[in-house]
Every structure is written in C-alpha cells, then in structure tokens.
Amino acid sequence: MGMGRGAGRSALGFWPTLAFLLCSFPAATSPCKILKCNSEFWSATAGSHSPTSDDAPEFCAALRTYALCTRRTARTCRGDLAYHSAVHGIEDLMSQYNCSKDGPTSQPRLRTLPPPGDSQERSDSPEICHYEKSFHKHAAAPNYTHCGLFGDPHLRTFTDRFQTCKVQGAWPLIDNNYLNVQVTNTPVLPGSAATATSKLTIIFKNFQECVDQKVYQAEMDEPPAAFADGSKNGGDKHGANSLKITEKVSGQHVEIQAKYIGTTIVVRQVGRYLTFAVRMPEEVVNAVEDRDSQGLYLCLRGCPLNQQIDFQAFRANAEGPGTRRPAAASPAPAAPDTFPYETAVAKCKEKLPVEDLYYQACVFDLLTTGDVNFTLAAYYALEDVKMLHSNKDRLHLYERTREPPGRAAAVGLPPAPRPLLGSLLLLTLLPAVLEAVAA
C-alpha cells in the first residue's frame, strides 16, 4: 500500500504492509499514537499472512479496531506518513476481505519482542524496517524518483527538470519528514559566478525500532565512509541495519542505503568537488508537514529563477557578438580563454557520445571552469541516473520548453528551465528557414 495511490489499486498483504508501518512511526516525543495502533493490529492478527474464510470474522474485527484507533489519533497525526499509510491500508484490506465498517471489534494481544542482540543483525529488522518488503508481491511496485546535482552545478529534479544554477552558499536539496540534505556551493574560480559543491550534509531522522538520528557530512578532499559519529549503520536499534554506508571506491565513491524508507544515496568526489544522486519513493519525497515551506527544496521545486544560468545566452556570447541575450534568467560567467570550444566538445564526446543534457552540461562546465575533471562529473552523474532512475526511457534528457506559467502554478512548482543547447540549433537553422520563406 502506498499513501496517495488512486482508487482501484491492488490491495496489499497486510503483514508486509504493517512491517513498513511499524518502522515508519514518529519519535517517542510525538503526540501521534499510530505506533500503538499498528502494534495492536500486528498483535491481534498474530502473524496470519492470508486469513482463511473461517478467520475472516476475527480478521475484520481486528481491522475495525485498527480503524477506530486511527480515528482517535487522527488530530495529532496530521502529515504523518505512517498514519496516512495505515488509513489507506485499512480501506484496502476491508474491501479485499469484504469487511463491514460496523460490527464487533477485537482486544489486542501483547506482542513479544525478540531478545536484545547484535544491532547489525536483528531477526525482525529485514521485514519491519524494509520499505520494499511492505509491498505485496501481487501489488503495484512503489514509484521511485531520482534527483541529482553535479558539476557547475547542474540539477535534475524529482520531476526530471534539468537546470543549470548558481546557488552559491548553502542550499537545501531535500527536506522532508525522514531526512534533510543540504549542499554548500563555492566559486570555482576567483571572482567567478561559476560554483560547484564543496560540502554535503545529510541528516537521517530518528525512527524507533529502525534507526537513531545519523548525520553524514562530506567535504572536499575525501568523502568519509562513515557517519559523523564513526558508525556505519543506524545505531543500536532492532532495525539498525536498515541504514548502512558502503564505500564503493576508497576516497571517491560512497553509497548509503536507507532501506526503511526505500532510499539510495550516492556521493562521489570528482576532482575537487562533490556530486550527489538519490533514488527515493514518491511518497517519501512528498512526506512534508507544510508544503508552503518547501519553496527552496531544490530537488522538488528546482532552482529559483534568479539563480538559473541562461546557457543559451552564454553560448551565443561564446560564439560571437550580436546575439540578443534573453533577460529572464541570469547569464553564465565568462568562459576561460584557455579552453577553446572545439576542445571542450571533443573531450566531452569521449565520455558522453549521446548529445543529451549531460553532454551539454559537460561542454558548459569545461567552458566556464577550464577544469577537465568536470567531464567525469557529468559522466558519473549519468551513470548514477542509469543505476537509480526507475524509468529507463528517461535516462537521457534533451531539450525541453518552458512550462506555461499557469501549469507551473497549478502544481506549486516554478517554471521549467530555459532550454540549453537545442535552441541554438534553431538559431543556426533560422537564416536558412527565412531564406526559404522569402523564396
């Protein structure tokens, strides 16, 4: 079951669903009591994965008790992912087993927790704190999204918009109920508007039964293969192993698996600077208390318009004077004299043969920084997309037109970025088109 799924979705097996819900409850200080409701239902059903017709009345009674418990805590659980998931799950299960809303309820049985043991290998952690196992094998798989930041810097949002931005200083990439990600971008060249990511901070928020709060912080020179406290997992709780850090390439490539929220994060150091990529379920992406406060959440909303670099104007200036510069977005910094355009194109072609936005970003970065390491930054960013993006038909992005203001406002998002290089092809062909029309 997933929060926000439409009508007609397949009902999920209640046991794996509750496994995720028991992992996804708020901290002990929260007034939301959804954990109590989840635990009581778990106990009342006694682990029955597929109730038979003889068990259906008792199972329906447990569901009605579960529903009553959620209604009692509704006021204090506003915006809580586990609460909304439970409500949707109850509806699905009552429909699947033809349970009436009116009828007897059941008394909960006490659940016996496993004895304490090694936090790395708890017997219940794989199911209780494993997002993907909460989805029944016959149900639709969760919808995953991807966000990435690399280079000078280029942002691919959760909605597959591609932007080139300035965003100097500290900016939030992700800010939801489960984790926060913040990047700090510094100038690549003295006095230049070109920036790249020099610091990355990720905060995984505390979840009882699953993980303690953990902070990961990487800076230039070498991304660490551990959290700030020196640990490599989620702490001393039953589900601690649902959060793990793995060093893929020493000093260059770290992967963080947060299975309890179905999330994978890739941090790389390429040259002097950092890159970031994430794969995250849509319902985790959208698990925010107050959407009105999400205006600077770059992975969701994109860069503010005044922070977007007008690549089109930059390229026109690089190729010659006389081209009018559009005024809606900020121009890019001047290109270093030491890196000719033809050389930049040739170097990017070696690693990125498809002329998509990653290739174009590579060319842009070499022209603005003169640093050949940015070729690898674009290359690895695309490799991360291939690994993390759920839609294999959307790996390569090409030119996209600006969204109409009305459409952008309707979904609460800023307009899409200006096209990068593809529009330049139109400028190149324009004289020929005009000549043909005149003839």
Side-chain angles (χ1 to χ4, degrees), residues 183-369:
V183 293
T184 300
N185 302 312
T186 54
V188 175
L189 299 170
S192 171
T195 62
T197 302
S198 58
K199 184 177 180 180
L200 172 71
T201 302
I202 306 171
I203 300 175
F204 296 90
K205 299 181 182 179
N206 172 65
F207 286 97
Q208 293 182 9
E209 298 288 334
C210 293
V211 299
D212 297 314
Q213 176 170 299
K214 293 289 178 175
V215 177
Y216 179 81
Q217 191 166 81
E219 299 190 44
M220 291 189 302
D221 294 334
E222 187 172 315
F227 293 110
D229 62 2
S231 66
K232 294 192 175 185
N233 77 337
D236 296 322
K237 298 183 177 179
H238 288 294
N241 212 35
S242 63
L243 177 62
K244 293 175 62 178
I245 291 183
T246 303
E247 187 174 51
K248 296 293 187 179
V249 179
S250 179
Q252 298 179 32
H253 179 190
V254 171
E255 183 174 300
I256 304 175
Q257 291 280 352
K259 292 183 179 180
Y260 66 102
I261 51 174
T263 296
T264 300
I265 295 174
V266 175
V267 178
R268 297 180 186 266
Q269 173 150 344
V270 185
R272 297 180 57 220
Y273 299 101
L274 302 170
T275 71
F276 170 86
V278 63
R279 179 179 187 258
M280 182 180 290
E282 284 184 354
E283 55 186 357
V284 176
V285 168
N286 294 313
V288 295
E289 291 291 343
D290 183 4
R291 286 193 169 275
D292 292 338
S293 68
Q294 295 294 307
L296 295 180
Y297 175 170
L298 299 186
C299 276
L300 186 63
R301 298 296 182 92
C303 297
L305 189 60
N306 64 358
Q307 292 293 320
Q308 295 178 30
I309 290 177
D310 190 343
F311 187 96
Q312 186 175 356
F314 166 76
R315 173 73 182 277
N317 287 342
E319 291 187 338
T323 303
R324 182 182 177 186
R325 174 181 296 177
S330 301
D337 296 333
T338 56
F339 227 121
Y341 172 75
E342 294 77 11
T343 305
V345 167
K347 288 189 175 296
C348 291
K349 269 289 188 180
E350 292 175 5
K351 284 289 186 181
L352 300 157
V354 178
E355 294 189 16
D356 61 0
L357 291 177
Y358 290 88
Y359 161 81
Q360 297 172 19
C362 172
V363 174
F364 174 82
D365 287 354
L366 295 190
L367 293 176
T368 56
T369 69

